[in-house]
Amino acid sequence: MPGTAPGWPRKGFAPHLERVEQIIEPEVPAGCEGLEQVLSGEDVSERLDVTAARFRVIVTRRPKYAYRNRDGVIQGPAPPHIIESGIPTEALLAQIAISKYADGLPLYRQEAIYARDGVELSRSLMAQWMGNLTRTWRDVAPVVNAKI
C-alpha cells in the first residue's frame, strides 16, 4: 500500500486533539433486510486534519440614548483594547507575535499569507503593533512576574 512502511507501527496522535468521528455503515446486502445485525469488529483509521486560521470581524455597537426633556446622551463604555482605537483584537496580536517571535515568520511573509485571505495588513502596520505590544508588556511584566 503506498505511503505506509511495513513493520513500522504508527505513533498515535496527541490525545488533546479534537476528534471528528465519521462512521460509514455498509449497505445492507440483498436478502438481509430485516435481519438482526451483529457487530463483529471495525476498522479504525485516524488522519491528521487542519482548519486554517479564519479571519472574522468583531463588530461592537454602542447605542446612544437620550431621554425626552433631559439634557445629554448616555452610552455604554467602550471595551478596553491593547491598542486603543486600533483594529486588531488581542487574538490577532497574539497570532502575529507568536508567528514572528516563536515561529520565526517575518512580517513580510505574514503580510503575504494574510493577503491570500483578502486581508490587507502591511508589515509596517504590524511592526507598529508589535512595538505597542512591547510597551504594554513592559508595564504588565512586573505584575505577572510577581504572581509567578
Side-chain angles (χ1 to χ4, degrees), residues 40-58:
S40 62
E42 66 180 358
D43 291 328
V44 178
S45 65
E46 290 186 333
R47 298 184 317 146
L48 189 61
D49 190 24
V50 64
T51 302
R54 196 180 70 204
F55 289 98
R56 63 184 184 173
V57 176
I58 305 295

Side-chain angles (χ1 to χ4, degrees), residues 32-145:
C32 294
E33 298 90 353
L35 297 178
E36 180 184 359
Q37 290 182 326
V38 178
L39 181 64
S40 62
E42 66 180 358
D43 291 328
V44 178
S45 65
E46 290 186 333
R47 298 184 317 146
L48 189 61
D49 190 24
V50 64
T51 302
R54 196 180 70 204
F55 289 98
R56 63 184 184 173
V57 176
I58 305 295
V59 178
T60 304
R61 295 185 191 278
R62 299 184 313 126
K64 296 178 181 181
Y65 294 101
Y67 290 94
R68 293 187 198 285
N69 303 320
R70 295 281 187 154
D71 288 341
V73 174
I74 62 167
Q75 182 179 37
H81 301 295
I82 290 177
I83 299 176
E84 289 301 323
S85 301
I87 63 171
T89 64
E90 291 72 19
L92 179 58
L93 292 171
Q95 169 68 33
I96 293 168
I98 289 170
S99 293
K100 178 173 175 40
Y101 299 111
D103 299 335
L105 189 62
L107 294 178
Y108 76 90
R109 287 192 183 152
Q110 292 188 53
E111 178 181 29
I113 291 168
Y114 301 149
R116 282 197 307 254
D117 233 354
V119 176
E120 294 182 23
L121 296 177
S122 70
R123 67 189 93 168
S124 62
L125 180 60
M126 290 187 282
Q128 288 174 5
W129 293 347
M130 294 303 98
N132 283 335
L133 276 182
T134 302
R135 287 185 290 282
T136 299
W137 182 249
R138 193 174 345 134
D139 298 338
V140 172
V143 175
V144 172
N145 288 335

